[in-house]
Amino acid sequence: MEDAQESGTCLQQNEKYHVERPIYNQEILQGQLHKRERTSQTLRQRIEHSCRCSSKKAKSHLYSFLPILKWLPRYPVKEYLLGDIISGISTGVMQLPQGTFAVISMMVGGVAVRQVPDEVVSVDYNSTNATDASEYYGLRDDKRVQVAVTLAFLSGIIQLCLGFLRFGFVAIYLTEPLVRGFTTAAAVHVFTSQLKYLLGIKTSRFSGPLSVVYSLAAVFSKITTTNIAALIVGLTCITLLLIGKEINLRFKKKLPVPIPMEIVVVIIGTGVSAGMNLTESYGVDVVGNIPQGLSAPAVPEIQLIPAIFIDALAIAIVGFSMAVSMAKIFALKHGYTIDGNQELIALGICNSVGSFFQSFPVTCSMSRSLVQESTGGKTQIAGALSSVMVLLVLMAIGYLFEPLPQTVLAAIVMVNLKGMFKQFGDVAHFWRTSKIELAIWVVAFVASLFLGLDYGLLTAVAFAMITVIYRTQRPQYRILGQIPDTDIYCDVEEYEEVKEYPGIKIFQANASLYFANSEAYTSALKKKTGVDPCAILAARRKAQKKHAREIKKANKVKKKAVLKLVNSSTNDVEASVKHEIASDGLPVNGKSAFADAAVQDGSPDELEHFVLPKTSIHSLVLDFTPVNFVDSVGAKTLKSIIKEYKEVGVNVCIASCSDPVMNELSRLNFFDNTVTRELLFHSIHDAVLACQVKDRSASQTALDH
């Protein structure tokens, strides 16, 4: 491998190319090129084309809407099936006692409690007078279920609408630092929600801003009521799971499939709980009654929609963001891409259709996803088997898992959050690589942790957008120079070999030119080149005024000398010498020819050579390689730069301007009689050579004169 690299390096160093061509500016280049003829389609034609259907197009749309039709026939049974089975069973067992995702569960629970308070069963729900406590609470819970079902229906409709409107593009704004900070905060939320189950204590539920703080405060306030038996069971399960994870990691290549420690722990925990009767003997909370069968389909309570619309919107966005965030993490890890619109449509169908069967608002579960991935799951087959597992439990064997201690499930969740907590190491990584990305990570984490995932996500996305604006307002500015005997130009401050051309400055900014950074661009240009046209013009005006004052002062001295000479003459010969005085430059009627000649002293050439400030450069090249767009303010700024530098004898030209940017300049009426396309060059080297030719021509003209 090293020999191949060395030979490749030698080949690159020995190979050379030589090209002879004219110096191209855009005026010459566009004159030699012929654009392809393109017929613009009318709106009707575009609509007809988009609605036109063919077998190939229909097949493509079908595969994009139902990807399973594409990958299922190619499913590698021998490689993936065993891992998917173990993963599906492990994940399915975890799904039995809890909601899909703790944060969504808390958001839904907060809305349900607000709409149906503990103290009062609202008459809006057609309640009957119930004196029995169990009947009262049963009625209350049924109404809360209806709130959750309506939330699922409405959030699903919102997600479907966003998916069909192609709103999934917002996933691109969920950058990696934002996603990792957001999911780390979500991991803290989930971990906090499991503490009470691990310790075997009972606390109130909290949602919204500062819910993590309130939950921790509630746990620590009741820490003295910890159920020791539940804690021992939970810690034992955590130890077994960590040992199993370590074995799977160390012997990954030797094991055909990972050891399903989650299933092992569930079986052992259920057996120990049933055998020792932990519920009765030690007060350990267990899963308890698991209702069997499915509810009959029913229409959600539509009248609740106005009261819960904002909450449904927040749940829809947080659910989508969580799913996309986890999908991005796994996509980066395993090397595939995701479609945000597809995620929205899938979630929307699950929520809206499932609501007719009294389902809960769903999204990607962090802990279950991590379990599914860590136990060998490769495809959606694992998810399907997990669903079948839950269905089987609901229909037939749910009673077998009723003795399962909740502390066992809490242990499984906490251990599988280990990977998420490793993301705290991102702080050190981003500190070394990018302070801005570190700021995005920290803001996403802190905001999501303390404000909740809904407000935290909005805050993080807004902050990420601000950083984009910040980067364009504060780009890096560089002066470029040539690597000798090449057409390659690099930063002169970065490399020793790079040299500047005498009298030519090449300026580059790694950002587009628009209203937010146009002033900064101009200021940096003046600072980097060392040429400030405004300052030079002001200095010239000052020098001209000073020179004029000196001439005026000299004239006064000459006038006094002439007048003194006149006064010394006698009155007798005054008339006879007037003609001679006038001829020789003596004053006539108080005016002197000497004075007139003195006023004309200091010709423009003499003034410029001896008095006026001059620039050290004759040409300025603006490298537009990094420029993606220019707005009207940027175009005016660019035109002003060309005009100002021309006034002080510096020719400005633009290099490597892309066609889209050039078209924008044309639309903005940038080009006129004074600013033509001849100022735009195909490359930096073309611009530099043109500047040298122009300077030599100007120098030769000056010598001829």
PDB file of all heavy atoms in Angstrom, residues 208-224:
ATOM      1  N   GLY A 208     -43.168  19.763  30.193  1.00  0.00           N
ATOM      2  CA  GLY A 208     -42.939  21.162  29.893  1.00  0.00           C
ATOM      3  C   GLY A 208     -41.566  21.627  30.338  1.00  0.00           C
ATOM      4  O   GLY A 208     -40.703  20.835  30.721  1.00  0.00           O
ATOM      5  N   PRO A 209     -41.333  22.958  30.310  1.00  0.00           N
ATOM      6  CA  PRO A 209     -40.032  23.500  30.722  1.00  0.00           C
ATOM      7  C   PRO A 209     -39.672  23.107  32.152  1.00  0.00           C
ATOM      8  O   PRO A 209     -40.540  23.061  33.035  1.00  0.00           O
ATOM      9  CB  PRO A 209     -40.226  25.019  30.588  1.00  0.00           C
ATOM     10  CG  PRO A 209     -41.317  25.175  29.575  1.00  0.00           C
ATOM     11  CD  PRO A 209     -42.227  24.008  29.776  1.00  0.00           C
ATOM     12  N   LEU A 210     -38.401  22.815  32.361  1.00  0.00           N
ATOM     13  CA  LEU A 210     -37.832  22.451  33.666  1.00  0.00           C
ATOM     14  C   LEU A 210     -38.402  21.151  34.216  1.00  0.00           C
ATOM     15  O   LEU A 210     -38.291  20.882  35.420  1.00  0.00           O
ATOM     16  CB  LEU A 210     -38.033  23.580  34.686  1.00  0.00           C
ATOM     17  CG  LEU A 210     -37.378  24.923  34.343  1.00  0.00           C
ATOM     18  CD1 LEU A 210     -37.698  25.943  35.435  1.00  0.00           C
ATOM     19  CD2 LEU A 210     -35.881  24.779  34.176  1.00  0.00           C
ATOM     20  N   SER A 211     -39.013  20.314  33.368  1.00  0.00           N
ATOM     21  CA  SER A 211     -39.577  19.056  33.855  1.00  0.00           C
ATOM     22  C   SER A 211     -38.488  18.142  34.408  1.00  0.00           C
ATOM     23  O   SER A 211     -38.721  17.407  35.375  1.00  0.00           O
ATOM     24  CB  SER A 211     -40.340  18.348  32.730  1.00  0.00           C
ATOM     25  OG  SER A 211     -39.482  18.063  31.638  1.00  0.00           O
ATOM     26  N   VAL A 212     -37.281  18.186  33.810  1.00  0.00           N
ATOM     27  CA  VAL A 212     -36.176  17.369  34.317  1.00  0.00           C
ATOM     28  C   VAL A 212     -35.811  17.787  35.734  1.00  0.00           C
ATOM     29  O   VAL A 212     -35.586  16.944  36.619  1.00  0.00           O
ATOM     30  CB  VAL A 212     -34.955  17.479  33.387  1.00  0.00           C
ATOM     31  CG1 VAL A 212     -33.727  16.874  34.041  1.00  0.00           C
ATOM     32  CG2 VAL A 212     -35.225  16.772  32.072  1.00  0.00           C
ATOM     33  N   VAL A 213     -35.754  19.088  35.958  1.00  0.00           N
ATOM     34  CA  VAL A 213     -35.408  19.596  37.292  1.00  0.00           C
ATOM     35  C   VAL A 213     -36.460  19.178  38.307  1.00  0.00           C
ATOM     36  O   VAL A 213     -36.137  18.701  39.410  1.00  0.00           O
ATOM     37  CB  VAL A 213     -35.266  21.133  37.261  1.00  0.00           C
ATOM     38  CG1 VAL A 213     -34.967  21.677  38.657  1.00  0.00           C
ATOM     39  CG2 VAL A 213     -34.165  21.540  36.286  1.00  0.00           C
ATOM     40  N   TYR A 214     -37.731  19.343  37.938  1.00  0.00           N
ATOM     41  CA  TYR A 214     -38.807  18.962  38.860  1.00  0.00           C
ATOM     42  C   TYR A 214     -38.800  17.461  39.135  1.00  0.00           C
ATOM     43  O   TYR A 214     -39.035  17.025  40.272  1.00  0.00           O
ATOM     44  CB  TYR A 214     -40.161  19.382  38.281  1.00  0.00           C
ATOM     45  CG  TYR A 214     -40.330  20.874  38.130  1.00  0.00           C
ATOM     46  CD1 TYR A 214     -41.012  21.419  37.038  1.00  0.00           C
ATOM     47  CD2 TYR A 214     -39.795  21.757  39.063  1.00  0.00           C
ATOM     48  CE1 TYR A 214     -41.162  22.785  36.881  1.00  0.00           C
ATOM     49  CE2 TYR A 214     -39.938  23.126  38.918  1.00  0.00           C
ATOM     50  CZ  TYR A 214     -40.624  23.637  37.825  1.00  0.00           C
ATOM     51  OH  TYR A 214     -40.767  24.987  37.683  1.00  0.00           O
ATOM     52  N   SER A 215     -38.541  16.664  38.096  1.00  0.00           N
ATOM     53  CA  SER A 215     -38.528  15.212  38.279  1.00  0.00           C
ATOM     54  C   SER A 215     -37.392  14.783  39.206  1.00  0.00           C
ATOM     55  O   SER A 215     -37.585  13.954  40.101  1.00  0.00           O
ATOM     56  CB  SER A 215     -38.384  14.515  36.918  1.00  0.00           C
ATOM     57  OG  SER A 215     -39.479  14.801  36.080  1.00  0.00           O
ATOM     58  N   LEU A 216     -36.212  15.353  38.997  1.00  0.00           N
ATOM     59  CA  LEU A 216     -35.085  15.016  39.867  1.00  0.00           C
ATOM     60  C   LEU A 216     -35.339  15.469  41.298  1.00  0.00           C
ATOM     61  O   LEU A 216     -35.020  14.747  42.256  1.00  0.00           O
ATOM     62  CB  LEU A 216     -33.803  15.664  39.330  1.00  0.00           C
ATOM     63  CG  LEU A 216     -33.216  15.053  38.059  1.00  0.00           C
ATOM     64  CD1 LEU A 216     -32.034  15.881  37.569  1.00  0.00           C
ATOM     65  CD2 LEU A 216     -32.771  13.617  38.310  1.00  0.00           C
ATOM     66  N   ALA A 217     -35.920  16.660  41.433  1.00  0.00           N
ATOM     67  CA  ALA A 217     -36.232  17.153  42.781  1.00  0.00           C
ATOM     68  C   ALA A 217     -37.229  16.228  43.472  1.00  0.00           C
ATOM     69  O   ALA A 217     -37.099  15.934  44.680  1.00  0.00           O
ATOM     70  CB  ALA A 217     -36.776  18.576  42.696  1.00  0.00           C
ATOM     71  N   ALA A 218     -38.226  15.746  42.722  1.00  0.00           N
ATOM     72  CA  ALA A 218     -39.225  14.845  43.306  1.00  0.00           C
ATOM     73  C   ALA A 218     -38.597  13.515  43.717  1.00  0.00           C
ATOM     74  O   ALA A 218     -38.904  12.960  44.775  1.00  0.00           O
ATOM     75  CB  ALA A 218     -40.356  14.611  42.300  1.00  0.00           C
ATOM     76  N   VAL A 219     -37.678  13.004  42.863  1.00  0.00           N
ATOM     77  CA  VAL A 219     -37.008  11.738  43.187  1.00  0.00           C
ATOM     78  C   VAL A 219     -36.156  11.881  44.442  1.00  0.00           C
ATOM     79  O   VAL A 219     -36.217  11.057  45.364  1.00  0.00           O
ATOM     80  CB  VAL A 219     -36.156  11.260  41.998  1.00  0.00           C
ATOM     81  CG1 VAL A 219     -35.249  10.104  42.420  1.00  0.00           C
ATOM     82  CG2 VAL A 219     -37.049  10.822  40.840  1.00  0.00           C
ATOM     83  N   PHE A 220     -35.361  12.954  44.498  1.00  0.00           N
ATOM     84  CA  PHE A 220     -34.471  13.127  45.652  1.00  0.00           C
ATOM     85  C   PHE A 220     -35.237  13.458  46.932  1.00  0.00           C
ATOM     86  O   PHE A 220     -34.784  13.143  48.029  1.00  0.00           O
ATOM     87  CB  PHE A 220     -33.434  14.206  45.362  1.00  0.00           C
ATOM     88  CG  PHE A 220     -32.380  13.785  44.389  1.00  0.00           C
ATOM     89  CD1 PHE A 220     -32.195  14.451  43.189  1.00  0.00           C
ATOM     90  CD2 PHE A 220     -31.567  12.687  44.658  1.00  0.00           C
ATOM     91  CE1 PHE A 220     -31.232  14.054  42.286  1.00  0.00           C
ATOM     92  CE2 PHE A 220     -30.595  12.278  43.759  1.00  0.00           C
ATOM     93  CZ  PHE A 220     -30.436  12.959  42.573  1.00  0.00           C
ATOM     94  N   SER A 221     -36.404  14.091  46.779  1.00  0.00           N
ATOM     95  CA  SER A 221     -37.190  14.390  47.975  1.00  0.00           C
ATOM     96  C   SER A 221     -37.777  13.124  48.600  1.00  0.00           C
ATOM     97  O   SER A 221     -38.087  13.101  49.791  1.00  0.00           O
ATOM     98  CB  SER A 221     -38.318  15.366  47.628  1.00  0.00           C
ATOM     99  OG  SER A 221     -39.249  14.753  46.743  1.00  0.00           O
ATOM    100  N   LYS A 222     -37.923  12.067  47.785  1.00  0.00           N
ATOM    101  CA  LYS A 222     -38.471  10.809  48.297  1.00  0.00           C
ATOM    102  C   LYS A 222     -37.435   9.682  48.271  1.00  0.00           C
ATOM    103  O   LYS A 222     -37.800   8.504  48.269  1.00  0.00           O
ATOM    104  CB  LYS A 222     -39.698  10.408  47.470  1.00  0.00           C
ATOM    105  CG  LYS A 222     -40.871  11.373  47.627  1.00  0.00           C
ATOM    106  CD  LYS A 222     -42.118  10.837  46.942  1.00  0.00           C
ATOM    107  CE  LYS A 222     -43.308  11.762  47.163  1.00  0.00           C
ATOM    108  NZ  LYS A 222     -44.543  11.244  46.538  1.00  0.00           N
ATOM    109  N   ILE A 223     -36.167  10.066  48.234  1.00  0.00           N
ATOM    110  CA  ILE A 223     -35.116   9.061  48.151  1.00  0.00           C
ATOM    111  C   ILE A 223     -35.110   8.139  49.364  1.00  0.00           C
ATOM    112  O   ILE A 223     -34.666   6.986  49.300  1.00  0.00           O
ATOM    113  CB  ILE A 223     -33.736   9.750  47.983  1.00  0.00           C
ATOM    114  CG1 ILE A 223     -32.690   8.759  47.472  1.00  0.00           C
ATOM    115  CG2 ILE A 223     -33.291  10.402  49.278  1.00  0.00           C
ATOM    116  CD1 ILE A 223     -32.841   8.378  46.061  1.00  0.00           C
ATOM    117  N   THR A 224     -35.606   8.649  50.490  1.00  0.00           N
ATOM    118  CA  THR A 224     -35.622   7.828  51.713  1.00  0.00           C
ATOM    119  C   THR A 224     -36.651   6.708  51.647  1.00  0.00           C
ATOM    120  O   THR A 224     -36.602   5.776  52.453  1.00  0.00           O
ATOM    121  CB  THR A 224     -35.921   8.712  52.936  1.00  0.00           C
ATOM    122  OG1 THR A 224     -37.143   9.437  52.719  1.00  0.00           O
ATOM    123  CG2 THR A 224     -34.786   9.709  53.163  1.00  0.00           C
TER     124      THR A 224
END
